[in-house]
Amino acid sequence: PIERLLPRLRQQSRCESIELRAFSRRDVAALLEREIGRPAPTDLRSELFARTEGVPLLVRERIRLRTERDELRHPENVRRCGVTLPARALDLIRRPLDRLSPACASLVGAAAVLGREFQGTLAAAVAEVERGTAVDLLDEAAAAGVIEAAETPGVWHFTHALFQEIALQGIAGGARARLHLRAAAEIERRHREDPAFVAELAHHHHEALVVGDPERAFECARCAAERE
């Protein structure tokens, strides 16, 4: 209903569209200071901003949860306790993923294995989806607000790190390992002689150990370490 209502509202002379932006690091620090009553430790500010990326709803829910648990009485313990998010906030993040078609959710899961940013053609290969079909499925995920096109043609990224995280959580361990193995095979096929991808290969082979080749995983890890 709101998608039908918004165009009508925009036609009204008295209606003004206001873009909601994410909080900056300074905004998050100010909110924490107001809640704690003194400047928050750097670790707490950094962890909270990194986890929420400044999304106001997630920032508010995380501060509310910490306040209810009386954790902000000792904010210096943030690194030991970690920054988690309440279930209802994660449920809101999960909703757009739940509305995806099964085929689209499968492709998004394969993309999540590749990282926050990914090539559409690589995700299609890992998901074993024909490229033309993948284009439509990526458009579906973009319309749901889960991913968006990057500046580089053919490259996409998750609009929030939590979309990638939750998409990964929805894949069973064995299936996730097989996706990592296919990712490694496809990257090796495309970039066999390019050492710049060895760390990426080491990661995928490590995550695929239960179904992959331990010797190849070790070789990639050693090459990646030597490259560092």
Side-chain angles (χ1 to χ4, degrees), residues 3 11 27 29 35 38 57-58 63 68 99 104-105 116 122 140 150 164 168 172 185 192-193 198 202 206 208 214 224:
E3 291 178 356
Q11 294 173 3
D27 295 330
E35 187 67 34
R38 58 186 172 89
L57 171 65
L58 299 181
I63 292 177
E68 289 179 355
R99 288 197 293 265
C104 182
R116 175 76 181 273
L122 181 57
E140 179 186 341
Q164 180 201 2
L168 277 175
R192 186 177 301 275
E193 304 300 328
V198 68
H206 173 74

Coordinates of all heavy atoms in Angstrom, one line a residue, residues 3 11 27 29 35 38 57-58 63 68 99 104-105 116 122 140 150 164 168 172 185 192-193 198 202 206 208 214 224:
E3 N 3.7 1.8 -1.3 CA 4.3 2.0 -2.6 C 3.3 2.7 -3.5 O 3.7 3.4 -4.4 CB 4.8 0.7 -3.2 CG 6.0 0.1 -2.5 CD 6.4 -1.2 -3.1 OE1 5.7 -1.7 -4.0 OE2 7.4 -1.8 -2.6
Q11 N 3.1 14.2 -5.4 CA 2.5 15.1 -6.3 C 1.9 16.3 -5.5 O 1.5 17.3 -6.2 CB 1.4 14.4 -7.1 CG 2.0 13.3 -8.0 CD 0.9 12.5 -8.7 OE1 -0.3 12.8 -8.5 NE2 1.3 11.5 -9.5
D27 N 27.7 11.3 15.7 CA 26.4 11.2 16.2 C 26.2 10.1 17.2 O 25.6 10.2 18.2 CB 25.4 10.9 15.0 CG 25.3 12.1 14.0 OD1 25.5 13.2 14.5 OD2 25.1 11.8 12.8
A29 N 28.6 8.8 19.0 CA 29.3 9.2 20.2 C 28.4 10.1 21.1 O 28.4 10.0 22.3 CB 30.6 9.9 19.9
E35 N 23.4 9.0 27.0 CA 22.9 7.9 27.7 C 23.8 7.6 29.0 O 23.2 7.3 30.1 CB 22.9 6.6 26.8 CG 22.2 5.4 27.5 CD 20.7 5.6 27.7 OE1 20.1 6.3 26.9 OE2 20.1 5.1 28.7
R38 N 28.6 10.7 30.4 CA 30.0 11.1 30.2 C 30.5 10.6 28.8 O 29.8 9.7 28.3 CB 30.9 10.5 31.3 CG 30.9 9.0 31.5 CD 31.6 8.6 32.7 NE 31.5 7.2 33.0 CZ 32.3 6.2 32.5 NH1 33.3 6.5 31.7 NH2 32.1 5.0 32.8
L57 N 17.8 3.0 13.7 CA 17.0 1.9 14.4 C 17.9 1.0 15.1 O 17.7 0.7 16.3 CB 16.2 1.2 13.4 CG 15.5 -0.1 13.9 CD1 14.4 0.3 15.0 CD2 14.8 -0.9 12.8
L58 N 19.0 0.5 14.5 CA 19.9 -0.4 15.1 C 20.7 0.2 16.2 O 20.9 -0.5 17.3 CB 20.9 -1.0 14.0 CG 20.2 -1.8 12.9 CD1 21.2 -2.3 11.9 CD2 19.3 -2.9 13.4
I63 N 21.6 0.4 22.0 CA 21.7 1.2 23.2 C 20.6 0.8 24.2 O 20.9 0.7 25.5 CB 21.7 2.7 22.9 CG1 22.9 3.1 22.1 CG2 21.6 3.5 24.2 CD1 23.0 4.5 21.7
E68 N 18.9 -1.7 29.3 CA 18.0 -2.6 30.0 C 18.8 -3.6 30.8 O 18.4 -4.1 31.9 CB 17.1 -3.3 29.1 CG 16.0 -2.4 28.5 CD 15.1 -3.1 27.5 OE1 15.4 -4.3 27.2 OE2 14.1 -2.5 27.1
R99 N 11.3 -12.2 2.3 CA 10.4 -12.0 1.2 C 10.9 -12.3 -0.2 O 10.2 -12.3 -1.2 CB 9.9 -10.5 1.2 CG 9.0 -10.1 2.3 CD 8.3 -8.8 2.1 NE 9.2 -7.7 2.1 CZ 9.5 -6.9 3.1 NH1 8.9 -7.2 4.3 NH2 10.3 -5.9 3.0
C104 N 16.0 -16.5 -5.7 CA 16.7 -15.2 -5.4 C 17.4 -15.4 -4.1 O 18.6 -15.0 -3.9 CB 15.7 -14.1 -5.3 SG 16.5 -12.5 -5.0
A105 N 16.8 -16.0 -3.1 CA 17.4 -16.2 -1.8 C 18.7 -17.1 -1.9 O 19.7 -16.9 -1.3 CB 16.4 -16.9 -0.8
R116 N 31.0 -9.0 1.4 CA 30.1 -7.8 1.4 C 29.9 -7.3 0.0 O 28.8 -6.9 -0.4 CB 30.7 -6.7 2.3 CG 29.9 -5.4 2.3 CD 28.6 -5.5 3.1 NE 27.9 -4.3 3.1 CZ 28.0 -3.2 4.0 NH1 29.0 -3.3 4.9 NH2 27.3 -2.2 3.9
L122 N 30.2 -13.9 -10.8 CA 30.8 -14.9 -9.9 C 29.8 -15.5 -9.0 O 29.7 -16.8 -8.8 CB 31.9 -14.3 -9.1 CG 32.7 -15.2 -8.2 CD1 33.3 -16.4 -8.9 CD2 33.8 -14.4 -7.4
E140 N 15.8 -8.4 -8.4 CA 14.8 -8.7 -7.3 C 15.3 -8.4 -5.9 O 14.7 -7.7 -5.1 CB 14.3 -10.2 -7.4 CG 13.3 -10.5 -6.3 CD 13.0 -12.0 -6.2 OE1 13.3 -12.7 -7.2 OE2 12.5 -12.5 -5.2
A150 N 27.2 -1.4 -7.3 CA 28.3 -0.6 -7.0 C 28.7 0.3 -8.2 O 28.1 0.2 -9.2 CB 29.5 -1.5 -6.6
Q164 N 24.3 -9.5 4.7 CA 25.2 -10.6 4.4 C 25.3 -11.6 5.5 O 25.3 -12.8 5.3 CB 26.6 -10.0 4.1 CG 27.6 -11.1 3.7 CD 29.0 -10.7 3.9 OE1 29.3 -9.5 4.3 NE2 30.0 -11.5 3.5
L168 N 24.1 -15.6 5.4 CA 25.0 -16.7 5.7 C 24.5 -17.6 6.8 O 24.6 -18.9 6.7 CB 26.4 -16.2 6.1 CG 27.4 -15.7 5.0 CD1 28.6 -15.1 5.6 CD2 27.7 -16.9 4.1
A172 N 22.9 -24.0 5.7 CA 23.4 -25.1 6.5 C 24.9 -25.2 6.3 O 25.4 -24.9 5.2 CB 22.7 -26.4 6.2
A185 N 36.9 -22.8 -6.8 CA 37.2 -23.4 -8.1 C 36.9 -22.4 -9.2 O 37.7 -22.3 -10.1 CB 36.2 -24.6 -8.3
R192 N 43.8 -17.9 -12.4 CA 44.8 -18.9 -12.1 C 46.2 -18.4 -11.8 O 46.9 -18.8 -11.0 CB 44.8 -20.0 -13.2 CG 45.7 -21.2 -12.9 CD 45.6 -22.2 -14.0 NE 44.2 -22.6 -14.2 CZ 43.6 -23.6 -13.6 NH1 44.3 -24.2 -12.6 NH2 42.4 -23.9 -13.8
E193 N 46.6 -17.4 -12.6 CA 48.0 -16.9 -12.5 C 48.1 -15.6 -11.8 O 49.1 -14.9 -11.8 CB 48.5 -16.7 -14.0 CG 48.5 -18.0 -14.8 CD 49.3 -19.1 -14.2 OE1 50.3 -18.8 -13.6 OE2 48.9 -20.3 -14.4
V198 N 45.2 -14.9 -4.0 CA 45.6 -16.0 -3.3 C 45.0 -16.0 -1.9 O 44.6 -17.0 -1.3 CB 47.1 -16.2 -3.2 CG1 47.8 -15.0 -2.4 CG2 47.5 -17.5 -2.6
A202 N 42.6 -18.8 -0.3 CA 42.9 -19.4 1.0 C 41.7 -19.4 1.9 O 41.4 -20.4 2.6 CB 44.1 -18.7 1.7
H206 N 39.7 -22.8 3.1 CA 39.7 -23.1 4.5 C 38.2 -23.3 4.9 O 37.9 -24.3 5.7 CB 40.2 -21.9 5.3 CG 40.1 -22.0 6.8 ND1 40.8 -22.9 7.6 CD2 39.2 -21.4 7.6 CE1 40.4 -22.8 8.8 NE2 39.4 -21.9 8.9
A208 N 35.9 -24.5 3.2 CA 35.4 -25.6 2.5 C 36.1 -26.9 2.9 O 36.0 -28.0 2.3 CB 35.6 -25.5 1.0
P214 N 42.4 -30.6 1.7 CA 43.2 -30.0 2.8 C 44.6 -29.5 2.3 O 45.1 -28.5 2.7 CB 43.3 -31.1 3.9 CG 42.2 -31.9 3.6 CD 41.9 -31.9 2.2
A224 N 49.5 -17.3 0.7 CA 49.0 -16.0 1.2 C 49.8 -15.4 2.2 O 50.1 -14.2 2.3 CB 47.5 -16.2 1.7

